[in-house]
Amino acid sequence: MKRVLIATEKPFAPAAVNQMVGILEQAGYEVKRLEKYASKAELLDAVKDVNALIVRSDIVDRAVLDAAKELQVVVRAGSGFDNLDLVTCTEKGMVAMNTPGQNSNAVAELAIGMMIFMSRGQFKGVSGTELKGKTIGVYGCGNIGRRVARIAQGLGMKVIALDPCITKVSMEPYDVKVVQNVAELFSESDFLSLHIPANEKTKKSVNFDMMNKMPKGATIINTARKEVIDEDGLKKMLEERPDFKYISDIAPTNHDELAGKFDFRYYSTPKKQGAETSEANVNAGVAAAEQIVAFFESGDQAYRVNK
Ligand code: 3PG
């Protein structure tokens, strides 16, 4: 009998867990759950005898993969898979997957909400600015970026876009101008919404020089990953450009230094909440469970992310 572990330091909504367990048990698998675990040791112990693992942002590094002697497949229920050690997965013959697109609407809605929050003075009763007629740069043209583009158009914004990882970007069917380079994207964006993955190419790529190209009064909205920001550059930007604003769903390492110092211009959610909706949890969790069943029953590897 196949054993599947759902290991989530940040648990899925109960409706999602119920459906995931139902799908896996229906397939005849045994389901183990490890939620809100306090130490890595608990995860290392729980993975020992499982054939499949479902996680969210939980770190699946070499230590976890070494401990998981029976593991054949790990699914990141979500989009970004920078928490999985893909090299070790490949080395051990394990399949790693994500569930692309399943939580994209939740993240896109949060990005738009954050943009409104910042343009209206963090709802503190001051005079703000409207979004209609302003330009939003969508940096990263995957499922989330495309959804942001569509909603922004509904708000009457001009949308421009660029993807650092895809050479031939298409934003069809939306009326979006795909710009030529990153300097053009930054210099034309009143609002810049980040939807790029954290990888060797993108880490610290949003740096002072790039941010400083942004127009007066510009705002960066980061619902992607903190690693893509050059945090010293962000601090310098906030210090040297009193018109610049930054909002994030993933607190930078220097959050304590920034919070409170730049009133109205800096904000970070206390805990990452982009994919924290019951709909997104159900979508991503169910997709993960179904992908595991498809993998074991018919060898399906459609969403594989390692070589
Ligand atoms: C993702 O990559 O799918 C999002 O960042 C969601 O991450 P989470 O599952 O940790 O909320």
Side-chain angles (χ1 to χ4, degrees):
M1 184 197 271
K2 300 288 183 201
R3 274 193 212 93
V4 183
L5 172 67
I6 303 172
T8 47
E9 185 273 320
K10 183 173 65 180
F12 289 111
V17 179
N18 290 343
Q19 290 188 49
M20 293 163 75
V21 172
I23 291 164
L24 295 165
E25 287 185 346
Q26 178 78 27
Y29 308 162
E30 183 188 324
V31 182
K32 288 171 55 174
R33 286 166 56 186
L34 177 68
E35 293 177 341
K36 291 188 186 170
Y37 52 93
S39 73
K40 177 106 171 239
E42 289 177 67
L43 178 59
L44 295 179
D45 186 54
V47 294
K48 273 196 305 213
D49 60 350
V50 300
N51 310 105
L53 172 63
I54 297 175
V55 292
R56 293 185 64 176
S57 289
D58 309 72
I59 304 296
V60 180
D61 57 12
R62 181 173 276 277
V64 174
L65 297 169
D66 279 344
K69 301 268 181 254
E70 312 288 322
L71 193 67
Q72 291 170 259
V73 57
V74 51
V75 183
R76 193 286 192 238
S79 148
F81 45 86
D82 46 305
N83 54 320
L84 308 183
D85 178 347
L86 298 186
V87 173
T88 304
C89 283
T90 301
E91 189 187 302
K92 290 176 177 287
M94 298 165 176
V95 171
M97 301 180 186
N98 70 344
T99 64
Q102 300 295 342
N103 55 23
S104 51
N105 186 62
V107 180
E109 286 186 8
L110 183 71
I112 297 287
M114 286 179 147
M115 180 165 61
I116 295 173
F117 178 70
M118 291 305 271
S119 69
R120 301 303 286 265
Q122 300 184 1
F123 303 158
K124 289 178 180 165
V126 294
S127 178
T129 55
E130 298 183 20
L131 304 179
K132 189 177 164 196
K134 305 288 189 311
T135 297
I136 179 172
V138 174
Y139 194 24
C141 302
N143 292 298
I144 303 168
R146 295 170 69 81
R147 184 78 192 134
V148 166
R150 183 167 184 201
I151 301 171
Q153 282 181 331
L155 292 167
M157 299 183 83
K158 179 182 165 199
V159 185
I160 60 173
L162 185 72
D163 195 300
C165 306
I166 310 171
T167 24
K168 210 167 164 18
V169 175
S170 165
M171 290 295 276
E172 279 174 11
Y174 311 125
D175 179 22
V176 172
K177 178 177 139 200
V178 178
V179 296
Q180 294 306 307
N181 54 57
V182 75
E184 193 180 345
L185 181 78
F186 278 70
S187 56
E188 287 187 20
S189 297
D190 299 307
F191 296 88
L192 184 72
S193 195
L194 305 181
H195 305 293
I196 53 179
N199 58 34
E200 289 323 305
K201 190 170 181 184
T202 62
K203 281 181 188 167
K204 289 184 187 272
S205 66
V206 179
N207 55 32
F208 177 79
D209 287 346
M210 279 302 147
M211 289 187 263
N212 201 26
K213 291 187 189 304
M214 294 185 76
K216 194 164 187 305
T219 303
I220 288 183
I221 303 115
N222 186 2
T223 55
R225 291 288 183 272
K226 70 177 164 59
E227 288 79 6
V228 303
I229 300 285
D230 173 359
E231 296 180 348
D232 292 338
L234 171 64
K235 184 173 166 237
K236 186 173 173 199
M237 186 70 187
L238 285 161
E239 281 169 352
E240 294 189 7
R241 283 268 308 262
D243 60 295
F244 172 77
K245 305 184 192 76
Y246 182 82
I247 183 163
S248 157
D249 187 34
I250 329 93
T253 318
N254 54 358
H255 169 77
D256 289 347
E257 216 183 321
L258 305 179
K261 198 168 165 194
F262 304 102
D263 225 8
F264 296 101
R265 297 201 291 121
Y266 171 84
Y267 184 89
S268 186
T269 52
K271 204 169 176 199
K272 184 175 162 208
Q273 61 185 61
E276 282 298 80
T277 66
S278 48
E279 293 91 337
N281 280 186
V282 169
N283 293 343
V286 165
E290 286 176 344
Q291 285 172 214
I292 284 174
V293 175
F295 172 76
F296 284 132
E297 303 310 316
S298 60
D300 191 335
Q301 300 188 18
Y303 297 104
R304 182 171 182 154
V305 292
N306 64 326
K307 292 195 182 105

